[in-house]
Amino acid sequence: MAKQYEFKAPVLPYLLVLPQMVIVFIFFFWPAAQAILQSFYLQDPFGGRMIFVGFQNYSKLLVDPDYWQSFRVSTAFALCITLSAMTISLFLAIQANKKIRFASFYKTMLVWPYAVSTLVAGVIWLFLFNPNVGVIAYVLKHTFHVDWQYLLNFNQAFFLLTMAASWKQLAYNFVFFLAGLQSVPATLVEAAEIDGAGAARRFWKIIFPLLSPTTFYLLVMNLVYGFFETFPIVHAITQGAPGKSTGILVYKVWRDGVINLDLGSSAAQSVILMLMVIVLTVFQFRFIERRVTY
Amino acid sequence: MKRVIVLMTVLCMAVGLYAQTTVEFWHAMTGKNGEMVQTICDQFNASQKEYKVVPVYKGSYVDTMNAGIAAFRAGQAPAIIQVYEVGTATMMAAKNAIKPVYQLMAENNMKWDPNIYIPTIKSYYSTSDGRMLSMPFNSSTAVMYYNKDAFRKAGLDPEKPPVTWPEFFEVAKKLKASGMEGGFSTNWISWIQLENFCAWHNIPFGTRSNGFDGLDTTLVFNSPITVRHFQNIYDLSKTGVFIYGGRENKANPLFTSGRVGMHFESIGGYGNMKANCKFDFGVARLPYYPDVPGAPQNSIIGGASLWVFNGRPAAEYKTVAEFFNFISKPEIQSLWHKATGYLPVTQAAYELTKSQGYYKDNPGLEVAIKQLTNKTPTPNSMGVRFGNMPIIREIEDQIWEDILSGKISVKAGLDKMVSEGNKTLREFEKLYK
């Protein structure tokens, strides 16, 4: 049990947290309040007119099949990224954790993509796969005769986005999995081995349960990443194409607010996203965390 | 004695600086175009001592417009801001935020004739009764680029580009048959194949003079001729004669890398073509359907214009008015035109450039000017002026992709573009009513 300190002076503790509170207020509560306020108005971008419309910005979204389509594709996208980024990085971490030649070289290389910004990652994949200029696209078309045109083919577009976004997240997951694996006591694994447990059994019965805090943490982080931080990838690679089929929620918020200047709807969408983040976090920490053995 | 002189000089300079009015000019021009903005401002600043214009690069058109909006809301707006053509209706409707150019010129007793500007350019930025709201700056129009080497290889006459759409499609098929990956591609499906297509055929894109006469306008471009045009392109996409290259100007590499033989792009991209095409290319007018009465009419512009924000000190407006007059001079316009590939916005600048023999080496630029001034603009060809224009273009881009990928038929797709576009027009009308 950690020792608790008590301040004698009644004001000092408040003064000490004040800087943090000011920052949180200015950069979180104030914009959030603005967004909530704006979501009830129809307004011109220059602030000349503001018409109160109640919940109209919300109701329009909720009856809009395109918004639900965007919601579905965002969910599918986040789940696919989480699944692929986590399984691949776990596999790589296990391999890199073995006693092999050049282990530290592999580790360094695998961590490297983490230094690449998400937007740059998007652009790299764009230059590889764009049907007009991409190198791999050219090979796909001319050597393998694949009809590669993700601008008009949703499956190809979705696959490409998932690959690019997962690749960007691999390094992050890899670091955590590797650290998690290294903290698994070697004695336990050796004891199991002596008892005759095979490699698969050792992994599922000993290593995987001991990794669960890491896995849980990464699950949260990957879902949040997949939902809310993949904007630059979509922006660079598809811009929502074909049609609006890959226009994920965060991309739509930006597009409607910044380019289309539909501030009311954009504000309503960001409030909905905010609620989603809150619900997601509460749900994960209250219900899933309990089952995780630490 | 020497010290006194130095002191006097410094004092004079200080007084001079103090009396000089400085205004900010926010723009979105990069590379060569950005350098030219700086050059023009430098020349203006050097031409007199009272006024100074400072150009500030603010990012893309979208970034610049958003920066202007944020600055205006914070009471920190610059005097001059460059706004792209699709932002025109939003700027016009923001009556509290802007000072119309005709008013600016009148208030500052400037000698200024709005009729020096090329009619199609002037009309785009004027009210329907001819009062100019923003200053034409960088204007372009859509043209056809074609690969002369590919024409030769396919046994076609490189000096006779197709003039009508039926001819164009035949040539495209021949180009593909000659071994190219495809026949043609296009940029800007919304601006070139819809907005310019309608103007060029003198058919309405929307009611109320394409939105010039009021906010109670509706889109009507889903006419039989447009459906026929889109059906033709769609059919050719099935046989690979048409290759889709993406939205906005993303299809350019298809042409510059020699994969298609003909391409539609802004004349503003002329410099880029010259730099990137490793083959002999030509510029031709947009094709038309010969059975449409009145076609070809005139094409319409794209690009951006300069808007003046409200609420600045009077001295700044005098500076802006002087600056606008300065950039409208034939020699400045001609300089801008030759360095950037954007069109000269006045007739005099065109004449001047022509007299210098510039079009002998750059015939493509003259093709664009002639196409733009082909006939006196009609209500169908002055331009388009719709609220929420970025949304309308986005709808068109999205549904065009749905048409190409077979999710919706051509006719149903165009109908959907119109009905969804009209929804967003009604919202704009509701907001500004």
Side-chain angles (χ1 to χ4, degrees):
Chain A
M1 193 70 199
K3 200 176 170 189
Q4 288 196 345
Y5 291 96
E6 224 171 84
F7 285 99
K8 292 282 187 292
V11 188
L12 184 64
Y14 294 100
L15 277 178
L16 289 175
V17 294
L18 187 68
Q20 183 60 34
M21 288 314 291
V22 167
I23 289 170
V24 169
F25 181 81
I26 292 175
F27 292 103
F28 183 72
F29 286 104
W30 177 247
Q34 283 280 322
I36 293 170
L37 188 71
Q38 289 194 358
S39 69
F40 293 112
Y41 286 88
L42 198 60
Q43 62 169 320
D44 97 284
F46 289 95
R49 283 151 195 265
M50 281 184 90
I51 302 167
F52 183 78
V53 290
F55 282 92
Q56 193 192 301
N57 285 326
Y58 291 95
S59 57
K60 257 194 329 209
L61 286 174
L62 296 180
V63 298
D64 182 2
D66 288 336
Y67 191 69
W68 288 103
Q69 152 66 17
S70 175
F71 182 81
R72 277 194 300 274
V73 80
S74 305
T75 313
F77 190 41
L79 290 175
C80 288
I81 291 170
T82 306
L83 188 71
S84 60
M86 285 182 66
T87 47
I88 297 171
S89 59
L90 178 59
F91 174 77
L92 290 172
I94 291 168
Q95 301 308 317
N97 197 35
K98 287 178 180 164
K99 286 184 178 59
I100 46 171
R101 271 177 159 214
F102 310 122
S104 59
F105 172 75
Y106 292 132
K107 284 172 199 164
T108 312
M109 288 325 235
L110 284 164
V111 175
W112 222 339
Y114 189 60
V116 177
S117 88
T118 319
L119 183 65
V120 174
V123 173
I124 292 171
W125 286 79
L126 175 76
F127 278 129
L128 292 176
F129 283 93
N130 181 280
N132 301 345
V133 293
V135 183
I136 298 184
Y138 186 86
V139 174
L140 279 175
K141 261 198 252 182
H142 292 87
T143 312
F144 298 100
H145 303 287
V146 177
D147 186 15
W148 178 258
Q149 174 54 296
Y150 71 79
L151 294 170
L152 295 176
N153 181 322
F154 169 75
N155 291 334
Q156 289 178 0
F158 188 85
F159 178 68
L160 179 59
L161 287 175
T162 308
M163 269 209 302
S166 307
W167 176 79
K168 169 71 185 80
Q169 189 67 1
L170 272 187
Y172 182 82
N173 294 352
F174 175 78
V175 171
F176 279 88
F177 273 133
L178 191 65
L181 285 171
Q182 285 173 349
S183 65
V184 172
T187 47
L188 285 180
V189 182
E190 281 162 14
E193 206 173 348
I194 290 164
D195 288 346
R201 203 175 158 85
R202 289 201 300 276
F203 177 75
W204 288 113
K205 291 291 172 189
I206 296 171
I207 300 173
F208 194 69
L210 283 169
L211 264 185
S212 63
T214 309
T215 312
F216 168 70
Y217 168 78
L218 286 178
L219 183 71
V220 179
M221 295 313 284
N222 279 260
L223 280 175
V224 169
Y225 165 80
F227 257 114
F228 304 103
E229 289 162 37
T230 42
F231 164 82
I233 302 255
V234 174
H235 185 45
I237 299 180
T238 66
Q239 297 176 301
K244 42 185 134 180
S245 58
T246 60
I248 59 172
L249 293 170
V250 277
Y251 185 71
K252 193 170 152 58
V253 170
W254 174 82
R255 185 119 206 151
D256 286 347
V258 174
I259 293 193
N260 297 338
L261 296 173
D262 187 356
L263 302 184
S265 176
S266 184
Q269 291 175 42
S270 54
V271 172
I272 292 175
L273 283 178
M274 187 160 72
L275 291 176
M276 277 173 57
V277 179
I278 294 171
V279 170
L280 198 74
T281 316
V282 168
F283 178 80
Q284 284 183 314
F285 279 92
R286 294 212 93 181
F287 299 99
I288 302 180
E289 199 179 27
R290 282 186 195 162
R291 298 193 202 154
V292 178
T293 32
Y294 280 98
Chain B
M1 190 60 205
K2 205 175 168 190
R3 274 194 193 168
V4 175
I5 293 173
V6 171
L7 192 72
M8 289 293 283
T9 321
V10 169
L11 256 173
C12 287
M13 278 171 69
V15 171
L17 282 174
Y18 187 70
Q20 196 180 39
T21 316
T22 303
V23 303
E24 281 195 8
F25 165 21
W26 288 9
H27 68 88
M29 301 277 89
T30 52
K32 183 75 188 160
N33 299 350
E35 285 168 28
M36 280 313 291
V37 169
Q38 184 69 52
T39 306
I40 288 176
C41 290
D42 288 347
Q43 289 198 4
F44 172 72
N45 296 339
S47 71
Q48 38 68 43
K49 291 210 165 54
E50 286 168 80
Y51 318 109
K52 192 175 179 199
V53 173
V54 180
V56 182
Y57 170 67
K58 281 283 166 181
S60 67
Y61 281 138
V62 170
D63 295 338
T64 305
M65 187 160 175
N66 277 293
I69 287 169
F72 178 79
R73 294 182 76 140
Q76 309 270 323
I80 309 171
I81 184 169
Q82 183 188 24
V83 174
Y84 61 160
E85 87 276 30
V86 292
T88 303
T90 302
M91 297 301 289
M92 272 186 72
K95 292 195 173 68
N96 62 322
I98 59 134
K99 186 184 270 295
V101 164
Y102 77 90
Q103 201 180 320
L104 171 90
M105 292 305 199
E107 281 174 11
N108 290 286
N109 305 312
M110 299 300 291
K111 258 203 245 161
W112 176 71
D113 179 11
N115 294 318
I116 61 171
Y117 303 96
I118 288 173
T120 327
I121 297 178
K122 181 194 158 210
S123 66
Y124 201 101
Y125 300 116
S126 300
T127 58
S128 53
D129 54 359
R131 287 174 299 167
M132 195 182 266
L133 298 173
S134 63
M135 177 56 57
F137 187 60
N138 54 322
S139 295
S140 61
T141 194
V143 289
M144 178 181 122
Y145 291 83
Y146 66 102
N147 184 331
K148 288 187 176 178
D149 290 350
F151 266 54
R152 287 186 194 102
K153 200 179 157 217
L156 297 155
D157 184 350
E159 300 314 318
K160 280 199 183 131
V163 175
T164 67
W165 280 110
E167 285 168 23
F168 175 89
F169 295 134
E170 286 314 307
V171 168
K173 285 178 204 162
K174 281 180 191 157
L175 287 169
K176 182 171 167 71
S178 78
M180 298 196 99
E181 187 180 328
F184 73 106
S185 57
T186 184
N187 281 345
W188 299 103
I189 198 78
S190 47
W191 179 56
I192 299 178
Q193 305 300 347
L194 282 171
E195 293 164 30
N196 264 298
F197 180 85
C198 288
W200 194 229
H201 289 86
N202 195 20
I203 53 173
F205 184 85
T207 60
R208 308 279 280 141
S209 307
N210 285 349
F212 277 61
D213 295 340
L215 298 178
D216 54 337
T217 170
T218 51
L219 303 175
V220 292
F221 60 76
N222 54 341
S223 52
I225 181 69
T226 326
V227 174
R228 181 171 129 204
H229 183 53
F230 273 51
Q231 187 69 50
N232 284 337
I233 300 179
Y234 172 77
D235 291 344
L236 291 173
S237 78
K238 292 289 119 187
T239 51
V241 174
F242 168 74
I243 298 185
Y244 181 64
R247 299 176 190 179
E248 298 171 350
N249 61 357
K250 297 218 169 58
N252 276 339
L254 290 175
F255 181 73
T256 53
S257 64
R259 287 161 62 190
V260 298
M262 295 185 288
H263 181 54
F264 296 93
E265 153 71 332
S266 160
I267 191 65
Y270 190 66
N272 174 39
M273 292 293 185
K274 264 176 129 177
N276 292 317
C277 291
K278 290 178 187 64
F279 48 81
D280 189 14
F281 75 90
V283 172
R285 298 201 309 187
L286 297 172
Y288 61 96
Y289 287 95
D291 54 325
V292 176
Q297 171 59 38
N298 63 279
S299 65
I300 59 172
I301 59 166
S305 65
L306 306 183
W307 289 82
V308 185
F309 270 117
N310 235 335
R312 305 296 309 175
E316 292 199 6
Y317 289 124
K318 179 71 181 159
T319 308
V320 175
E322 292 285 352
F323 181 65
F324 281 0
N325 248 355
F326 180 80
I327 60 170
S328 303
K329 286 184 182 172
E331 55 276 21
I332 300 296
Q333 272 303 314
S334 178
L335 179 76
W336 170 254
H337 168 51
K338 287 182 289 192
T340 63
Y342 283 114
L343 302 175
V345 297
T346 64
Q347 194 68 34
Y350 166 56
E351 304 291 349
L352 176 68
T353 316
K354 195 173 179 172
S355 72
Q356 294 164 343
Y358 186 72
Y359 299 123
K360 284 202 189 80
D361 299 327
N362 297 278
L365 294 176
E366 196 173 25
V367 168
I369 299 168
K370 284 191 167 161
Q371 178 184 276
L372 196 65
T373 54
N374 189 42
K375 285 178 188 167
T376 309
T378 70
N380 294 330
S381 70
M382 291 190 295
V384 292
R385 172 97 37 84
F386 300 99
N388 286 337
M389 198 64 199
I391 305 184
I392 294 172
R393 283 201 177 162
E394 184 185 17
I395 290 168
E396 291 162 359
D397 284 343
Q398 288 170 340
I399 296 177
W400 174 233
E401 285 171 357
D402 288 342
I403 290 174
L404 287 177
S405 55
K407 275 171 84 174
I408 190 167
S409 76
V410 172
K411 174 81 175 81
L414 277 158
D415 290 347
K416 194 175 167 199
M417 288 180 194
V418 164
S419 63
E420 292 205 354
N422 284 334
K423 268 190 234 160
T424 192
L425 284 176
R426 294 293 70 78
E427 278 178 23
F428 193 80
E429 187 185 8
K430 185 178 159 195
L431 179 59
Y432 286 102
K433 190 167 51 183

